[in-house]
Amino acid sequence: MKQRMSGLIVLILVILGAAGYLLWQRQAPKPVTQINGYLGGEKIGVYEDEEIKKLIEDRYRLKLDYRKAGSLDMITADLTGMDYLFPSSVTAQELYVKVHGKPPQAEMIFNTPIVLYSHRKIADVFVSQGLASVNNGVYTVDIKKLTEIMEKDTKWADIGIPELWGPVTVGTTDPTKSNSGNMFAGLLANIINGGNVVNMTTVDTVNPRLKTLFSKLGYMEHSSADLFSQYLQIGIGGKPIVAGYENQMLEFAAQHPDEWSKLSSNLVIMYPVPTVWSTHIYIALDDEGKKGIEALKDTSVQELAWKKHGFRTGIPGISQDPSIFGVPGVMPDITQVIPMPDVDTMEKIISNFAN
């Protein structure tokens, strides 16, 4: 009898132990999966944001690791061990399809327009010269007129800024390496083409003039983040005007409020009319990479990407009030936009710079 009772107790304990183990397994957090990919430098702030990293780890048991790379360079880079690419344009996505074929999945995650960053004195002179307008504190640049004076080798002194040396130019990243430079080149190509989107039938007419414009710039950075950092650090004498992403200024103000308060009176965002959208496309290379799409499109992640890093989103219901940044002159809605040339045309434009 005692043996039976002991056996029964042991059996009950085994059952309870098994049930407890199963309950523990259900309640225990799943292990965190790390996925690897190439990332455009302008999005490093999002990836390194501790609040965003924790949210993605807690909700999706995911860690997004990365290597910094230009949007175009990553397409032809060694993809061994990579689960995703995260460039900054539809052109890069189209180039990926052309080189590698259709990916397992690709989706838009963020948007930000191409803008010009300058300094208060230059912005005000541009207004006085009819190159720009200011309404409700928002500066817009007539990109056609600006292109014309750059093509004519107009000097800074000719427009009333004699302390700056040489001709009026816009600093940009290398169009063959970096997306912001590539997109600015596409925008200027459209403007040279009479405000019409350049295609394979018109690109040969546009290319010589475009190459001449960019030949005046000298050395061009490979990273949008590096160029923006130089704009902040060197000042009006070294970087009078640069082309970049709108989110860069908003992120800087949100992440470095003390530095922003010291610099803000002299820094100006100017919106080209028209401009082009930089659409940040996440390209999943395998099933593991697909997990990053769900995590990055999480509503809370998208809200933080706007509030802390200035990336606009297309997800309904997320407020995008620019006043939260305390940055004057941010355009509430970007409406005057021209499409980029298609991938074949942009490849021909890029090869034009390489020759």
Side-chain angles (χ1 to χ4, degrees), residues 155-204:
K155 304 296 188 290
W156 288 107
D158 296 335
I159 63 170
I161 313 179
E163 61 267 38
L164 294 182
W165 176 259
V168 176
T169 58
V170 175
T172 184
T173 54
D174 187 337
T176 68
K177 303 291 183 182
S178 168
N179 181 68
S180 61
N182 182 267
M183 296 198 74
F184 189 62
L187 173 59
L188 291 186
N190 289 342
I191 298 305
I192 291 171
N193 195 43
N196 301 306
V197 178
V198 179
N199 55 38
M200 291 298 285
T201 64
T202 55
V203 67
D204 287 337

Side-chain angles (χ1 to χ4, degrees), residues 89-252:
S89 72
V90 174
T91 300
Q93 179 194 17
E94 292 174 345
L95 184 59
Y96 175 88
V97 173
K98 187 172 182 179
V99 173
H100 301 284
K102 186 178 179 181
Q105 190 175 355
E107 291 194 27
M108 183 275 287
I109 305 297
F110 305 127
N111 280 303
T112 192
I114 293 293
V115 300
L116 302 182
Y117 288 117
S118 192
H119 305 267
R120 185 73 56 189
K121 179 172 184 177
I122 292 174
D124 290 340
V125 167
F126 269 30
V127 172
S128 69
Q129 294 286 324
L131 297 169
S133 302
V134 57
N135 294 291
N136 298 319
V138 176
Y139 285 86
T140 55
V141 175
D142 187 326
I143 196 67
K144 180 175 181 292
K145 290 182 179 180
L146 179 56
T147 303
E148 287 173 352
I149 71 165
M150 289 194 295
E151 285 198 289
K152 292 176 181 177
D153 280 331
T154 303
K155 304 296 188 290
W156 288 107
D158 296 335
I159 63 170
I161 313 179
E163 61 267 38
L164 294 182
W165 176 259
V168 176
T169 58
V170 175
T172 184
T173 54
D174 187 337
T176 68
K177 303 291 183 182
S178 168
N179 181 68
S180 61
N182 182 267
M183 296 198 74
F184 189 62
L187 173 59
L188 291 186
N190 289 342
I191 298 305
I192 291 171
N193 195 43
N196 301 306
V197 178
V198 179
N199 55 38
M200 291 298 285
T201 64
T202 55
V203 67
D204 287 337
T205 302
V206 168
N207 261 345
R209 292 170 61 186
L210 191 63
K211 186 173 184 178
T212 299
L213 274 174
F214 274 77
S215 68
K216 302 172 184 177
L217 300 182
Y219 175 78
M220 291 177 281
E221 293 291 338
H222 292 186
S223 165
S224 307
D226 292 344
L227 178 63
F228 183 71
S229 178
Q230 288 188 8
Y231 158 71
L232 294 177
Q233 294 172 12
I234 297 175
I236 188 171
K239 298 293 179 184
I241 308 177
V242 300
Y245 302 113
E246 178 197 55
N247 86 287
Q248 291 176 287
M249 184 77 84
L250 305 184
E251 180 180 57
F252 176 74

Side-chain angles (χ1 to χ4, degrees), residues 21 25 28 84 89 107 120 134 211 263 288 298 314 316 325 348:
Y21 176 74
Q25 273 197 321
Y84 70 87
S89 72
E107 291 194 27
R120 185 73 56 189
V134 57
K211 186 173 184 178
L263 298 173
E288 289 295 296
D298 182 287
F325 296 100
K348 196 154 189 179

Side-chain angles (χ1 to χ4, degrees), residues 35-39 47 64-69 74 81-86 282 285:
I35 60 175
N36 308 299
Y38 288 114
L39 180 73
Y47 267 52
L64 302 178
D65 201 10
Y66 68 89
R67 290 186 205 169
K68 178 183 172 184
M74 69 177 66
M82 294 300 176
D83 302 298
Y84 70 87
L85 308 177
F86 202 173
Y282 181 105
L285 304 179

